[in-house]
Amino acid sequence: MAIILNLETATTNCSVSVSKEDKVIALKEINDKGYTHAENLHVFIKEALDSASLSFLDIDAIAVSEGPGSYTGLRIGVSAAKGLCYSLGKPLIALPTLSVLEMQSPEEDNIAVVPLLDARRMEVYAAVYKNHAQIRETKAEIITSESFLSYLNEGKVYFLGDGAEKCKGVITHENAVFQEEVCFPSAREMAVLSNEKYKIGDFVDVAYFEPYYLKDFVTTKPK
């Protein structure tokens, strides 16, 4: 049974879990609406391993959320994962951030699920899933009343993530269902996905892997 260290830093949620096969045996995370990854990530890694009574030598692989998401958050998470893989000689698993978020959707067959991450203003990062399988590619898109209309016309569509908040007043279709509480990608939901990839040997090249930013990084002047 594989022991995997899972790192999720694509949003304000700094999240670390240790999983055995597909079960989480330790979790450490904080989401205080600010980016505290630089201060907390390596501390959380050590605390999660200690909580599971494991050491770095017990890890079989390291999984990281690959994006899209925060440029800085992704850089920190991927850099940490690659550094650990190099030093420990372990394989690296990359998981799409929206797939991780989608795992928090209700277990209902054949409904479309749209995980959304806030990308500032009225833009979001979004994809569409059914039965945990992605059926539409990931896009950065501006939300309008016509967004996801083809899926809404077919039946119930479930929206979740911090990007769903900005959609509530714009997407008013009768088949649109919004998660009651805002949720963020978490290393808790990475366990099943990382274990599936580990079993089939779906690893990425540690030397050449880069986060999936989707949009170019834009700097802004402080006010």
Side-chain angles (χ1 to χ4, degrees):
M1 294 186 288
I3 295 174
I4 301 175
L5 176 66
N6 303 287
L7 311 180
E8 171 55 72
T9 61
T11 67
T12 52
N13 191 29
C14 181
S15 182
V16 175
S17 73
V18 179
S19 57
K20 188 173 184 180
E21 198 168 16
D22 59 355
K23 306 298 183 185
V24 173
I25 58 175
L27 175 70
K28 183 70 178 180
E29 64 183 359
I30 186 172
N31 187 356
D32 59 3
K33 306 303 180 184
Y35 288 94
T36 61
H37 306 59
E39 297 87 352
N40 291 322
L41 181 59
H42 287 280
V43 175
F44 285 2
I45 290 171
K46 183 65 166 58
E47 290 180 351
L49 288 171
D50 288 345
S51 177
S53 299
L54 298 170
S55 73
F56 285 106
L57 298 178
D58 296 312
I59 298 171
D60 293 301
I62 296 165
V64 67
S65 180
E66 68 177 2
S70 158
Y71 183 92
T72 302
L74 290 171
R75 291 299 296 180
I76 292 171
V78 170
S79 295
K82 292 175 73 169
L84 289 170
C85 287
Y86 272 123
S87 61
L88 300 172
K90 302 298 182 180
L92 178 61
I93 298 168
L95 299 177
T97 302
L98 290 175
S99 293
V100 175
L101 178 59
E102 188 275 336
M103 292 294 288
Q104 297 186 41
S105 63
E107 294 293 334
E108 293 186 43
D109 291 338
N110 299 315
I111 71 165
V113 176
V114 181
L116 305 113
L117 295 178
D118 191 347
R120 296 183 179 180
R121 298 186 178 87
M122 285 308 294
E123 193 170 21
V124 296
Y125 301 124
V128 183
Y129 294 76
K130 269 191 179 180
N131 302 319
H132 298 307
Q134 189 168 344
I135 61 173
R136 199 214 72 178
E137 75 276 17
T138 300
K139 296 180 182 179
E141 52 193 302
I142 303 295
I143 294 299
T144 71
S145 60
E146 302 296 310
S147 296
F148 311 106
L149 190 58
S150 61
Y151 302 100
L152 289 161
N153 286 337
E154 292 177 357
K156 185 165 70 172
V157 177
Y158 190 81
F159 297 90
L160 75 161
D162 66 334
E165 286 298 292
K166 64 177 60 176
C167 299
K168 287 183 178 179
V170 180
I171 299 175
T172 57
H173 196 285
E174 62 181 2
N175 285 330
V177 179
F178 294 90
Q179 190 174 49
E180 292 184 6
E181 296 184 3
V182 178
C183 64
F184 296 83
S186 169
R188 181 190 297 106
E189 282 74 42
M190 293 177 71
V192 171
L193 299 174
S194 60
N195 186 63
E196 289 175 352
K197 289 205 170 192
Y198 182 85
K199 289 192 296 184
I200 61 174
D202 186 357
F203 307 127
V204 296
D205 190 308
V206 177
Y208 295 102
F209 174 71
E210 291 291 335
Y212 177 45
Y213 295 119
L214 193 57
K215 294 201 306 180
D216 291 334
F217 178 59
V218 178
T219 58
T220 57
K221 293 183 179 180
K223 294 182 180 179

